[in-house]
Amino acid sequence: MTLTAGERARYQRHLALPEIGAAGQEKLKAARVLVVGAGGLGSPAALYLAAAGCGTLGLLDCDRVELSNLQRQVLFDSAKIGRPKAEAGGERLASLNPEIRVVAHALELKAANVCAVLADYDLVLDGSDRLSTRYLVNDACVIMQRPLVSAAIHRFEGQVMTYVPGRGPCYRCLFPEAADGVVANCAEAGVLGVLPGVLGTLQATEAIKLITGVGTPLLGRFLTYDALELSFREFRVQRRRDCAVCGETPMITEPRDQKASPPTAEPGVRRLTPQALATLLGPGAAAPPPLIDVRERWEFDTGHLPGAVNIPTSELPRRLGEIPRSGGPVFICRSGGRSLRACTMALEAGVASAANLEGGMLAWAAQIDPQMPVA
Amino acid sequence: MSCTVRIASPLHSYTAGAAAVESPGASLAEVLGDLERRFPGIRFRIIDEQERIRPHIKLFVNTDEARDLTARVHGGDTVHVICALSGG
């Protein structure tokens, strides 16, 4: 795939690198790369890959641009608020480099569509914000033999690792499984805006190295970054013979969806609808139950039910003694997932009857109090 | 001689915000036992009811992964407790 005169001018600084040169740039032009998640990680990764001349660049995201995204998602500007991320981001990439082909995938990646989407690409970058999507993408890449550069962020920390079929461990070898919600996401825990800039740029670096064949990729090497210390650490990771997807006897032979949402029932936990809780808290109620709001402090401060006590889930194990053993305490969070786990912990700690507000404060705001602000 | 234990940020609430603590343990089991005495509840976030490392947690002694709690820890070593992150 030869370069035009315009491309030679645009990529002159690459052509000046003997390690890349015209041959490497032609490989970039022929490359087909999919960026999963047009968020904090996907923004810099996609921008740099577009600028570098990645010939076909797919951008996949099912969300729309929100004001709170702009603190770190440099693919977008204020005029794009409300637009589908894949489309708005695609326009930005095409504007940055009209020489490349940009494909916008404004859809949610599922087991039913992941193979069809990946079939058009040679390399995948995962910067999604859900563990279920991370496993779906990893499994599909293993099964379809596609290299994957996976990164993730949390507060001031980041992680990145590269997987190449047959040449090292996959994401499941590193973390065999994890359900959504087991770790707080950026919306819950916060994230330093510049952090994904570092990790997303590392992903783009790995992609360019894999495409051009230069350097040493992060195979079997798990890299972590701590922005507060400004330190990188590298760990050796082995492929697991018992890995569920890339092991010797894989149990996962086709992509599958994890549970899309947190479980809605646990043994012994009472389920309380917003309407039922409103009745318990209403003017005629004899003894309103204690309310335990397990969201993070800043979420609680945005808006909470009168009388609710804030015990974030991260503090719950050492603050279980503060929960009334009787009176049927009601646990509350944003959407009902964290509070359900809190109920289970409370029951194990001897609380007589724990109830979970189903759907959390989002459901309360939707069904009972539209004025209730929910972070 | 003690080792240094670096704690994943999702678990910092147990260590009063400390990213690293010292421990005299000579094995991962002893290190985690020591952490539990000082920071109640933290061990259960790392180890499940069957005494297995939780699948979203990774333990490293220096740069090498540990797949069970029998791994030896020497003075001056660093134990890393790392958690799968979901943010993007």
Side-chain angles (χ1 to χ4, degrees):
Chain A
M1 196 172 270
T2 56
L3 303 175
T4 64
E7 288 170 331
R8 286 188 165 274
R10 178 181 287 266
Y11 307 124
Q12 194 279 331
R13 300 298 192 273
H14 271 171
L15 301 183
L17 292 169
E19 293 84 351
I20 295 184
Q25 196 62 51
E26 287 168 2
K27 288 178 183 172
L28 282 166
K29 184 175 180 177
R32 303 177 302 167
V33 179
L34 175 66
V35 176
V36 178
L41 293 167
S43 286
L47 283 168
Y48 273 112
L49 288 176
C54 176
T56 300
L57 189 53
L59 189 64
L60 188 148
D61 203 302
C62 63
D63 288 339
R64 291 175 181 269
V65 181
E66 296 179 15
L67 180 59
S68 63
N69 297 153
L70 302 185
Q71 164 252 22
R72 65 198 178 286
Q73 298 181 15
V74 293
L75 198 50
F76 313 111
D77 57 42
S78 299
K80 298 295 194 298
I81 291 171
R83 297 271 317 278
K85 283 184 169 184
E87 291 177 12
E91 290 168 10
R92 171 80 179 97
L93 298 173
S95 169
L96 173 64
N97 190 349
E99 305 279 0
I100 65 169
R101 174 173 167 258
V102 177
V103 183
H105 298 278
L107 53 83
E108 185 175 8
L109 215 47
K110 295 278 193 183
N113 62 17
V114 65
C115 290
V117 173
L118 263 61
D120 292 332
Y121 297 95
D122 310 309
L123 172 63
V124 180
L125 271 59
D126 185 7
S128 56
D129 62 357
R130 264 184 288 180
L131 286 166
S132 56
T133 304
R134 293 184 177 281
Y135 286 104
L136 179 67
V137 170
N138 176 76
D139 296 350
C141 283
V142 172
I143 291 163
M144 298 181 71
Q145 300 281 290
R146 297 290 194 278
L148 167 68
V149 185
S150 181
I153 51 173
H154 181 265
R155 291 171 49 78
F156 300 94
E157 287 183 20
Q159 307 171 340
V160 60
M161 197 174 87
T162 296
Y163 163 74
V164 175
R167 291 180 56 191
C170 75
Y171 186 74
R172 267 194 201 278
C173 293
L174 184 63
F175 299 114
E177 63 179 4
D180 283 332
V182 73
V183 183
N185 60 26
C186 294
E188 296 161 4
V191 64
L192 184 69
V194 72
L195 177 74
V198 177
L199 277 299
T201 306
L202 287 175
Q203 286 182 283
T205 307
E206 282 292 280
I208 291 169
K209 285 162 54 188
L210 288 171
I211 293 165
T212 59
V214 302
T216 306
L218 267 176
L219 293 176
R221 297 186 291 145
F222 176 57
L223 186 70
T224 65
Y225 171 65
D226 184 327
L228 290 180
E229 293 185 350
L230 216 300
S231 63
F232 287 92
R233 290 186 175 83
E234 188 180 308
F235 303 95
R236 286 192 288 267
V237 180
Q238 305 287 327
R239 180 168 164 249
R240 296 182 70 109
R241 289 181 173 182
D242 61 349
C243 175
V245 67
C246 80
E248 292 172 354
T249 52
M251 296 170 60
I252 300 170
T253 54
E254 59 184 32
R256 61 186 190 187
D257 293 316
Q258 283 193 12
K259 235 175 255 180
S261 56
T264 56
E266 288 287 346
V269 175
R270 288 186 296 122
R271 301 165 62 172
L272 214 53
T273 63
Q275 188 57 57
L277 179 59
T279 303
L280 288 175
L281 300 176
L291 303 177
I292 312 296
D293 192 318
V294 298
R295 294 175 296 168
E296 297 300 313
R297 167 64 67 182
W298 69 270
E299 296 177 274
F300 181 80
D301 288 344
T302 300
H304 57 264
L305 295 178
V309 174
N310 184 215
I311 306 180
T313 47
S314 56
E315 298 176 12
L316 196 55
R318 57 186 166 84
R319 295 180 63 186
L320 282 168
E322 297 176 35
I323 298 169
R325 289 313 191 245
S326 58
V330 178
F331 290 80
I332 299 164
C333 70
R334 183 172 187 268
S335 58
R338 281 176 282 173
S339 54
L340 184 61
R341 293 193 298 279
C343 283
T344 304
M345 291 173 68
L347 289 172
E348 290 171 355
V351 171
S353 173
N356 184 42
L357 175 60
E358 288 198 322
M361 291 302 290
L362 288 175
W364 179 271
Q367 298 173 29
I368 306 296
D369 181 6
Q371 305 303 315
M372 173 65 73
V374 182
Chain B
M1 283 283 283
S2 62
C3 69
T4 301
V5 188
R6 299 198 59 85
I7 309 287
S9 64
L11 302 178
H12 285 183
S13 58
Y14 291 88
T15 57
V21 298
E22 297 295 310
S23 172
S27 67
L28 276 183
E30 290 182 16
V31 167
L32 291 173
D34 176 54
L35 289 185
E36 177 64 20
R37 278 187 293 279
R38 294 153 62 194
F39 313 111
I42 194 169
R43 189 178 188 281
F44 189 65
R45 297 286 300 275
I46 301 170
I47 306 297
D48 68 13
E49 297 89 338
Q50 282 81 44
E51 290 295 297
R52 294 175 305 202
I53 300 168
R54 291 188 181 276
H56 67 284
I57 296 282
K58 203 80 183 166
L59 298 179
F60 293 93
V61 179
N62 301 321
T63 61
D64 296 322
E65 61 180 319
R67 293 195 175 167
D68 60 50
L69 302 187
T70 62
R72 303 302 300 170
V73 178
H74 302 97
D77 282 349
T78 301
V79 173
H80 300 266
V81 180
I82 290 177
C83 187
L85 304 180
S86 64

